[in-house]
Amino acid sequence: MLTYRKFRRLDVRIPFSGLLGLYLFCGVAWLGFSRSPWQVALTVTTAVLTDFTANYFFRGRRIEFPWSGLITGFGLSLLLNFGSHAWLPILPALLAITSKHIFLAEGRHIYNPALFGLIVGMVLSGGELSPAPAYQWNATSALAAVLAGLALMIFVPRIKRTPLLVAFLGFYAIQMLFRAWVMRYHIPTETIFLGTISSPAFFLFVFYMLTDPSTSPKSWRLQVGLAFAVTTVDLFLHFKQSYSTLFPALFIVQSVTLIALWARTIWRQSHRWWQPMLKATSFLLLALLCFSLTKRDPADAPADFRFTRINSEFSGLGAQNGRVLQAVDPRLQHIAKWLLSVGDAVSIADVNNDGFQDVFLSYPLKESASRAALFLNQGNLSFERVELKTISKYFTDFSENGLPSCPIFADYDNDGDQDLFLGVSFGECRLYQNRLIEEGDLNFVDVTEFAGIAGPSVCLAAVFFDADSDGLLDLLVGNALSPYLKKYDDDRKLNLFDLPAEEYAGDRRMFHFMHTSWHRAENGGASILYRNLGNGQFEKLSGADIGMPETHWTLALNTADFNNDGLPDVYAASDFGPDDIYLNQGKFRFKRLAGNVVGQVGNDTYKGMNVSISDFNGDSFPDVYVSNVHVPLQAEGSLVWLTKPDLKKGAQFKNGSIRTGLLNPHRFGWGAGVADLDLNGEPDLVQANGMVDDTIDRKFKEPKDYWYVNGRLMRTGPEVHAYADRWGDLRGYSIWGLQKNRVMLNRGGHFEDAADTVGLGELGNARGVGLADFDNDGDIDLLLTHQFEAASLYQNDQSETKNWVGVALTGDGQLVARDAIGARITVRSGDQTTHSWIQPASGFSAQGDRRLVVGIPESTGTIRIVWPDGVEWTSSEIEAGRYYSISRVDATTSALRAVPLSGHSPALLVTTHKQSN
């Protein structure tokens, strides 16, 4: 028979759920919580429906409002981060409610449901779930005070847990004092206190989880004991440098309580004492079985090629570390390894026109001779370093001129050779003109001042592209940090090697240059566009002038025509905040594209490190891969924007990181290069991973992770973490240690990691991914840069002979720039069609081979080109196993030339074809 329970107006669960729901709504709508409305709705709905159903079947077919499910759903939505997963929120909600009916002792449930769902969900998901990132609570100390105040006024008197509350706050205050004393040499004392008492997560734990009347004792003695036990276990976890401590501490204490009550039940030999233990054991075994079935080696996908590492003595790419870190201002030495953790970059192009791809490396932390170095390809995977005195001399005095951090090749003057832009951090960017065509010898001349490229920068990203379709390559420069110290009234440049002196007691303005938010930072550097005037000079246009006013922390730039209007658009990946997508409106005007909901493009809270563009799902439209962080406390993962033109919005961007398998879990992602590595006609991806290790300043026998310290910092507001002097001491520590890179092979739009299979399974710390056919044998070789060691070179060895086609494009220098940036290449062979675009960059800290190499199923095929000005051209049938150089001759014709593999012999074939419209 059905029974009904009437709502009680004064039921404490009503205002409790209302407060949590309101806070959650504000977090998703305004505070930048990294959960989409869909994830929140799915979590809450699952918890409510499960609770309603369980109450009906396990409590005598009684219908009652599922308050517990509602509160649990709100709690999980506040406390968990689901990354890009659409359906993963179901898991913790099911676990939470199920625990109420399975883990029973003496007729009551022991675990707080939200706590059980949080902890066990993280374990069973293998790290795909994580605690809500600490940065989501930043700048919400007022809300923390509201939570605490309302709890004290409304809930605590009603639930009669005052002894537990007072005891815990007292014990925990003593514990924080002890931890602050222990860590006084590593992190400022106030960081520990402010990071705790200003965190709403702490008050949610104290007032709504620890003091849960259903799972906490009624006796004041047991309440004090519980407070002491949780504080003690929490301290133990701190000494183990656990990222999350309070929630696991309570879970451990409640687990011990459960086991103790079970033991007491067995001792008393109560009737049917075995039933609750049997249910719980069966549930755990089933969960562990399901979890084990999902576990496998993630890097063992089959592959029919290998990457063979070339010894640096043979390749000639070796370099030694210098003493740049030691030259950082003494007041920043504790965080110097973080501040200079990027800038080791590679740019690839044929600078001497001999048919082989050469390499330029920026080695900011290496000795002077290698800090900015050009290596000429000798044709056998060995390189010879060329002394460029105009460049190396300039960067010898890095404390004055800054550090090279972003080399980019481009023929900006349309004369037929590759010029060099060199982005600089903590100095001024430089432009070098290649005089090969004019003088007959390779020589780079500094034309920075004449060209009009001037001003301080912290440049990690730049691209040349024809923004206005006039046949001239314009230059877009992004800045990560602001080049200026913003706390000063005058223009004070940021120079890590010489900060301004203290002008009065307590002056800390010189330290205020770190990000002001972990997910909405807007104190980065502005972008600058240099319009190519065609006479070797550029007109400087500020980001605000062209519709790019954002001052996000730009780490990577790339371009593609996302809305199919014939104009190149810009994707800017931002660290510590949302990325920026700028749709080209023509005449040097851009419009930012952003979704209305958290998680949509331009409204993400992710850490964008990289921009790689390719047709990942085979629908002929350019997709975007943005590498990101997926580690404890920040389990977000990479973004894969699958795009299509849209008449209303301009372009659709849908995140496909889960469906494509490109989430890059359990890694700190940097650069990513895209190419057809296995010559099956589909774009594959190499992902560089790792953050900072202790190889250059080791002081512990076993590496220690700095992120435990940084986790305390992340809970503070910008008044603390935006100042570099308040950061913990990183010297001798690592951040998540050495990591494996990934080699993601495309299997029909879904990617599988084959890093171990292809010989790239060693642990390391990589940055840029340079992909190029260095030996001109028709497959793509690999060069990886590493911030704290020399670059590593790998030869691609195919296990069997395959059909392939190589394509190199050259514009006419009038209607189309000679580099043909933005041109679309379609290769057809049999029933296979592949689409690619000539791009100015290849991801974070890298510019790869602009020639296309693609595998084809048959021995013949055709090539179709859509030039950047919209004119189309299609070749006659071509043979596999050759590079084809296609030149835009004029507005009506294009010339196709088959180039032999040696790169030096005369052309095998030259044909001219009319354009087709």
Side-chain angles (χ1 to χ4, degrees):
M1 180 177 179
L2 299 180
T3 61
Y4 298 86
R5 174 177 289 184
K6 295 181 180 180
F7 294 146
R8 291 179 295 174
R9 288 175 177 261
L10 299 179
D11 191 331
V12 71
R13 296 175 297 180
I14 298 176
F16 182 22
S17 59
L19 177 62
L20 289 183
L22 178 62
Y23 186 29
L24 179 61
F25 176 79
C26 293
V28 174
W30 296 295
L31 301 178
F33 286 12
S34 55
R35 260 81 79 214
S36 69
W38 163 256
Q39 291 173 328
V40 171
L42 187 60
T43 304
V44 175
T45 301
T46 302
V48 167
L49 291 179
T50 305
D51 192 37
F52 183 87
T53 304
N55 287 337
Y56 179 78
F57 284 104
F58 294 105
R59 295 186 176 182
R61 297 185 178 274
R62 184 175 63 192
I63 295 179
E64 61 180 55
F65 189 82
W67 289 111
S68 178
L70 185 64
I71 293 170
T72 299
F74 287 158
L76 290 172
S77 297
L78 284 167
L79 297 171
L80 273 176
N81 180 36
F82 308 105
S84 299
H85 292 272
W87 298 100
L88 190 58
I90 293 176
L91 174 63
L94 282 174
L95 289 170
I97 302 303
T98 304
S99 70
K100 290 175 52 181
H101 304 280
I102 289 183
F103 291 90
L104 304 173
E106 299 183 354
R108 65 186 182 92
H109 64 277
I110 304 302
Y111 292 106
N112 175 274
L115 177 68
F116 188 90
L118 186 149
I119 299 297
V120 180
M122 288 193 297
V123 172
L124 293 183
S125 68
E128 301 297 309
L129 285 170
S130 69
Y135 55 73
Q136 82 166 24
W137 311 108
N138 286 348
T140 57
S141 56
L143 284 174
V146 170
L147 287 174
L150 289 176
L152 289 171
M153 289 187 298
I154 300 175
F155 307 125
V156 174
R158 297 283 307 278
I159 62 178
K160 299 179 181 179
R161 294 298 185 272
T162 302
L164 174 58
L165 178 64
V166 173
F168 178 78
L169 292 177
F171 290 145
Y172 207 74
I174 296 172
Q175 190 227 66
M176 284 194 295
L177 285 171
F178 177 67
R179 284 194 287 120
W181 180 79
V182 171
M183 300 184 67
R184 63 192 183 279
Y185 299 115
H186 303 288
I187 193 169
T189 299
E190 64 267 29
T191 300
I192 292 179
F193 282 91
L194 290 175
T196 301
I197 65 176
S198 65
S199 171
F202 176 76
F203 290 100
L204 284 172
F205 172 84
V206 173
F207 293 107
Y208 308 124
M209 186 172 287
L210 176 68
T211 54
D212 178 5
S214 298
T215 58
S216 58
K218 296 180 180 180
S219 164
W220 71 267
R221 290 186 177 86
L222 292 179
Q223 290 181 29
V224 173
L226 174 62
F228 181 79
V230 171
T231 306
T232 303
V233 175
D234 179 84
L235 181 62
F236 172 79
L237 294 176
H238 275 292
F239 275 103
K240 289 294 183 179
Q241 296 195 347
S242 299
Y243 298 130
S244 180
T245 57
L246 273 175
F247 298 106
L250 179 58
F251 183 83
I252 291 171
V253 171
Q254 290 183 343
S255 297
V256 172
T257 302
L258 176 67
I259 294 172
L261 291 176
W262 277 355
R264 189 167 70 178
T265 300
I266 295 174
W267 177 259
R268 292 177 176 177
Q269 296 183 346
S270 299
H271 181 59
R272 295 181 178 179
W273 56 266
W274 49 269
Q275 287 186 341
M277 285 173 278
L278 179 62
K279 288 196 297 184
T281 304
S282 301
F283 175 81
L284 283 177
L285 290 176
L286 179 62
L288 289 173
L289 176 62
C290 295
F291 178 60
S292 64
L293 293 177
T294 63
K295 297 292 289 183
R296 73 174 186 86
D297 187 350
D300 61 356
D304 54 5
F305 73 97
R306 286 190 63 82
F307 280 126
T308 302
R309 186 163 185 171
I310 307 300
N311 188 291
S312 61
E313 295 181 359
F314 178 82
S315 71
L317 299 177
Q320 299 297 320
N321 285 324
R323 296 189 60 80
V324 177
L325 282 175
Q326 291 77 3
V328 170
D329 190 294
R331 292 167 291 175
L332 296 176
Q333 283 289 324
H334 66 292
I335 196 65
K337 200 163 61 170
W338 176 296
L339 297 173
L340 296 179
S341 62
V342 290
D344 212 283
V346 56
S347 184
I348 297 170
D350 181 7
V351 299
N352 56 359
N353 290 349
D354 68 347
F356 289 102
Q357 299 296 301
D358 307 303
V359 169
F360 191 97
L361 292 170
S362 64
Y363 275 152
L365 299 185
K366 308 306 187 292
E367 78 277 9
S368 296
S370 301
R371 196 161 293 134
L374 174 65
F375 298 86
L376 294 183
N377 192 337
Q378 304 302 296
N380 59 348
L381 290 172
S382 68
F383 294 81
E384 179 181 348
R385 186 164 65 185
V386 177
E387 181 68 21
L388 300 175
K389 294 183 180 179
T390 56
I391 299 179
S392 59
K393 182 180 179 180
Y394 184 84
F395 292 107
T396 299
D397 187 5
F398 56 84
S399 61
E400 178 67 25
N401 298 322
L403 293 168
S405 52
C406 176
I408 295 291
F409 283 119
D411 186 2
Y412 78 88
D413 53 6
N414 281 332
D415 67 349
D417 54 31
Q418 292 292 301
D419 309 301
L420 174 66
F421 169 82
L422 195 50
V424 175
S425 294
F426 316 110
E428 296 192 2
C429 298
R430 314 303 296 174
L431 181 64
Y432 299 93
Q433 185 186 41
N434 189 344
R435 303 292 293 175
L436 177 65
I437 298 299
E438 291 83 356
E439 301 174 359
D441 292 318
L442 181 66
N443 183 29
F444 286 90
V445 177
D446 192 335
V447 294
T448 305
E449 282 70 27
F450 174 77
I453 310 293
S457 66
V458 185
C459 174
L460 297 173
V463 288
F464 282 93
F465 71 115
D466 189 357
D468 58 344
S469 301
D470 64 350
L472 300 170
L473 292 180
D474 309 297
L475 171 64
L476 179 63
V477 176
N479 284 291
L481 286 76
S482 171
Y484 296 98
L485 292 166
K486 296 185 176 182
K487 282 291 183 177
Y488 290 88
D489 295 331
D490 56 348
D491 291 337
R492 301 282 185 99
K493 296 179 183 178
L494 171 59
N495 185 344
L496 298 184
F497 306 99
D498 186 19
L499 288 181
E502 182 178 314
E503 297 180 5
Y504 52 83
D507 183 10
R508 297 175 53 237
R509 293 173 296 171
M510 69 290 294
F511 301 117
H512 189 270
F513 56 83
M514 305 299 281
H515 44 277
T516 54
S517 169
W518 293 84
H519 67 303
R520 296 286 181 186
E522 296 180 346
N523 65 324
S527 297
I528 300 172
L529 192 142
Y530 293 94
R531 177 187 179 186
N532 194 333
L533 300 178
N535 58 356
Q537 295 182 305
F538 293 80
E539 176 189 4
K540 184 177 180 179
L541 303 174
S542 71
D545 292 337
I546 61 174
M548 300 182 181
E550 285 72 24
T551 53
H552 295 152
W553 288 54
T554 302
L555 293 192
L557 292 167
N558 215 336
T559 65
D561 184 5
F562 297 118
N563 56 359
N564 201 29
D565 65 352
L567 296 172
D569 309 307
V570 174
Y571 193 107
S574 305
D575 202 356
F576 307 117
D579 293 344
D580 299 307
I581 299 87
Y582 298 107
L583 299 182
N584 195 334
Q585 308 297 295
K587 298 181 179 180
F588 294 99
R589 295 295 303 173
F590 292 83
K591 181 179 179 181
R592 188 174 186 270
L593 177 67
N596 298 319
V597 177
V598 172
Q600 293 181 343
V601 70
N603 197 14
D604 62 276
T605 62
Y606 288 60
K607 316 294 174 292
M609 307 290 188
N610 168 87
V611 184
S612 298
I613 296 176
S614 186
D615 180 13
F616 293 118
N617 60 352
D619 66 353
S620 79
F621 298 112
D623 306 311
V624 184
Y625 175 82
V626 182
S627 63
N628 186 26
V629 177
H630 192 287
V631 289
L633 292 183
Q634 289 180 284
E636 296 173 339
S638 299
L639 295 167
V640 179
W641 296 117
L642 304 176
T643 80
K644 285 184 178 181
D646 186 281
L647 293 177
K648 294 182 179 180
K649 300 178 182 178
Q652 294 180 10
F653 284 73
K654 294 184 178 181
N655 187 7
S657 58
I658 301 300
R659 77 182 80 164
T660 59
L662 289 174
L663 184 69
N664 192 32
H666 315 300
R667 300 286 193 275
F668 195 111
W670 290 105
V674 178
D676 185 4
L677 300 175
D678 53 3
L679 298 179
N680 71 343
E682 296 179 310
D684 308 304
L685 185 141
V686 178
Q687 171 68 64
N689 293 311
M691 177 46 180
V692 171
D693 57 59
D694 64 343
T695 55
I696 62 173
D697 59 357
R698 182 166 295 147
K699 78 177 177 181
F700 301 108
K701 184 176 180 180
E702 294 293 332
K704 291 190 176 182
D705 194 349
Y706 172 79
W707 209 248
Y708 166 78
V709 174
N710 208 39
R712 315 308 109 188
L713 187 77
M714 289 176 68
R715 293 189 174 95
T716 63
E719 70 281 356
V720 175
H721 72 249
Y723 290 84
D725 62 329
R726 288 296 180 261
W727 283 57
D729 194 343
L730 180 56
R731 287 170 290 190
Y733 286 82
S734 65
I735 299 179
W736 292 304
L738 301 172
Q739 297 183 348
K740 282 187 180 182
N741 301 312
R742 283 197 158 101
V743 180
M744 305 301 295
L745 300 183
N746 195 334
R747 299 294 184 250
H750 182 80
F751 291 75
E752 298 179 352
D753 187 4
D756 289 343
T757 306
V758 303
L760 209 68
E762 70 270 18
L763 296 173
N765 191 331
R767 290 297 183 267
V769 178
L771 294 174
D773 184 5
F774 289 119
D775 51 3
N776 281 347
D777 65 349
D779 53 35
I780 298 298
D781 308 304
L782 167 66
L783 188 151
L784 289 174
T785 69
H786 313 274
Q787 190 69 10
F788 305 110
E789 60 183 46
S792 51
L793 179 65
Y794 299 83
Q795 182 180 26
N796 187 330
D797 292 321
Q798 299 286 329
S799 62
E800 58 185 66
T801 302
K802 299 178 182 179
N803 294 322
W804 60 272
V805 169
V807 182
L809 300 186
T810 304
D812 60 3
Q814 298 178 9
L815 298 175
V816 175
R818 290 187 65 90
D819 283 349
I821 301 296
R824 175 173 175 166
I825 305 172
T826 302
V827 178
R828 291 188 174 91
S829 177
D831 59 357
Q832 174 183 296
T833 302
T834 60
H835 304 276
S836 187
W837 297 263
I838 303 298
Q839 298 172 41
S842 304
F844 174 80
S845 289
Q847 179 188 39
D849 195 339
R850 284 199 292 264
R851 302 175 300 175
L852 170 68
V853 177
V854 59
I856 58 176
E858 300 182 359
S859 59
T860 60
T862 60
I863 303 171
R864 179 175 175 264
I865 307 298
V866 180
W867 295 100
D869 62 350
V871 175
E872 301 178 12
W873 174 87
T874 303
S875 75
S876 56
E877 190 172 77
I878 50 93
E879 297 180 4
R882 295 177 178 178
Y883 275 100
Y884 289 89
S885 176
I886 303 174
S887 302
R888 170 70 176 267
V889 178
D890 53 39
T892 60
T893 59
S894 294
L896 179 144
R897 181 169 63 98
V899 184
L901 298 184
S902 68
H904 295 286
S905 304
L908 298 179
L909 175 67
V910 178
T911 59
T912 302
H913 297 269
K914 290 285 186 181
Q915 303 286 150
S916 60
N917 294 317

